Amino acid sequence: MQLKRFADNDSIIFTNKDGLVYLQFTNLKKYDNAIIHCFTTRLGGVSKDSCFSLNLGDKFYDSIKNVEENFERICRAIGIKKDSLVFSNQVHGTNIRKVGEKDKNKKIEDRRKTEPHDGLMTNVRGISLVTFYADCVPVLFYDHNKKVIAMAHSGWRGTVSEIAAETVKKLAEEYHCDPDNLEVAIGPSIGKCCFEVGEDVYFQFLDRLHWSEAYCRKTGEKKWHIDLQGIVRQSLINTGVRRENICTANICTKCNKDIFYSHRGDNGKTGSLAAIMKII
């Protein structure tokens, strides 16, 4: 299934199960016999008002009961058990957490009790990694040789700090993963069309990633648009990930806020999307 507006996008595949809509990435779909993965939309849940409708984040303006029901729905849709979920505790840093069996079967509201981290990784079968988004860049990793999965939450701070490259480094350290064997998917996020920043952010990119100037475009007096998805992609390539192994959604969450939650598009009061990934 493909939503009409994305009919020409061959990087992603949408699935609609009784009104619940999620997407998958074509390069990771090749491994359906080894992994389950998805990136959610805002369609098909029970949340109301600004969190309408498949909110998966424990926001103060949505009830935990709604969030739990929404997780029940997405878990049924993709064929995983809710007690397999391991939730991230995101702070816009670059820490990558290695998880195992002891991390399963926890409540979503308990995730903030763990050490802050913006990435998860595991080689344990049956664990479903979960990271959260509402404009930030989702990055999903799979090493088909080592049977390892990982995810990174890359907001602009994580992007300028190269959390995607840090994840590649951690995968090599912990599991001896070769970047050459990684399949990576970069999901929907705020696009270069809508991510406008001032001088303070622009110069952080130039100071720390001199090559990122190619992904920045001046749009007005002391204003720039920055291509976060493009910078994440180039950062991965710089670490040795093969260009042809990176699948980029090229979807702007703000432009499509009827389908995806967008922090900027919804003026800060919105729900959370989730990336979910599991080794079968």
Side-chain angles (χ1 to χ4, degrees):
M1 172 245 183
Q2 193 70 307
L3 296 180
K4 187 175 181 180
R5 75 184 71 170
F6 305 121
D8 297 328
N9 190 332
D10 59 4
S11 297
I12 55 172
I13 300 167
F14 283 90
T15 297
N16 185 331
K17 291 198 173 180
D18 299 321
L20 189 152
V21 179
Y22 61 88
L23 67 83
Q24 295 172 298
F25 303 95
T26 51
N27 65 334
L28 298 180
K29 279 286 289 179
K30 296 182 298 185
Y31 304 101
D32 272 356
N33 62 332
I35 59 173
I36 294 172
H37 84 282
C38 79
F39 186 74
T40 64
T41 70
R42 69 185 301 163
L43 307 177
V46 299
S47 298
K48 305 295 183 183
D49 302 323
S50 60
C51 289
F52 178 84
S53 71
L54 191 67
N55 172 42
L56 297 171
D58 49 343
K59 306 286 188 177
F60 69 90
Y61 34 83
D62 195 11
S63 71
I64 289 297
K65 181 179 178 181
N66 285 345
V67 175
E68 289 177 347
E69 173 58 25
N70 289 338
F71 268 111
E72 291 282 1
R73 292 187 177 203
I74 188 63
C75 287
R76 281 198 304 271
I78 65 175
I80 64 174
K81 293 182 178 180
K82 189 164 172 280
D83 63 8
S84 73
L85 301 175
V86 176
F87 305 105
S88 59
N89 179 18
Q90 297 166 192
V91 292
H92 295 280
T94 58
N95 189 33
I96 314 299
R97 183 179 178 221
K98 181 180 180 181
V99 299
E101 286 287 343
K102 63 179 175 52
D103 300 297
K104 292 166 53 177
N105 201 22
K106 303 285 179 66
K107 295 180 179 180
I108 186 171
E109 57 264 40
D110 291 336
R111 68 191 180 103
R112 303 184 197 283
K113 297 177 182 178
T114 61
E115 180 183 357
H117 54 276
D118 282 78
L120 296 170
M121 59 184 177
T122 192
N123 65 348
V124 179
R125 293 174 61 187
I127 288 179
S128 302
L129 307 181
V130 184
T131 46
F132 301 93
Y133 307 88
D135 281 343
C136 296
V137 184
V139 194
L140 286 69
F141 301 79
Y142 177 54
D143 184 327
H144 50 90
N145 283 353
K146 299 293 185 179
K147 310 302 182 193
V148 174
I149 58 174
M151 290 180 176
H153 161 258
S154 188
W156 76 260
R157 292 178 180 83
T159 300
V160 80
S161 299
E162 295 193 276
I163 187 175
E166 181 67 15
T167 305
V168 174
K169 176 184 173 183
K170 289 297 184 183
L171 288 172
E173 290 176 356
E174 294 290 340
Y175 304 109
H176 308 291
C177 295
D178 186 335
D180 197 57
N181 294 326
L182 291 175
E183 292 277 357
V184 185
I186 300 171
S189 71
I190 192 165
K192 57 186 176 182
C193 49
C194 293
F195 186 56
E196 185 178 68
V197 301
E199 283 186 321
D200 56 335
V201 174
Y202 170 69
F203 283 118
Q204 286 189 58
F205 276 90
L206 260 59
D207 290 345
R208 300 182 67 174
L209 307 173
H210 63 88
W211 49 264
S212 68
E213 186 172 10
Y215 298 89
C216 303
R217 179 171 60 90
K218 191 168 185 178
T219 56
E221 183 68 25
K222 299 182 180 180
K223 294 291 184 181
W224 283 264
H225 280 201
I226 297 181
D227 180 3
L228 295 178
Q229 292 183 36
I231 292 173
V232 169
R233 179 182 173 85
Q234 187 59 52
S235 182
L236 289 164
I237 292 169
N238 292 347
T239 66
V241 178
R242 295 167 64 186
R243 187 181 303 270
E244 60 269 28
N245 286 1
I246 304 172
C247 182
T248 307
N250 291 315
I251 292 175
C252 176
T253 43
K254 185 180 177 185
C255 286
N256 298 280
K257 64 190 184 79
D258 58 325
I259 297 174
F260 302 100
Y261 294 113
S262 170
H263 181 79
R264 285 204 178 192
D266 295 327
N267 298 314
K269 191 173 182 181
T270 193
S272 290
L273 309 160
I276 304 173
M277 199 172 190
K278 172 187 173 183
I279 305 171
I280 301 173

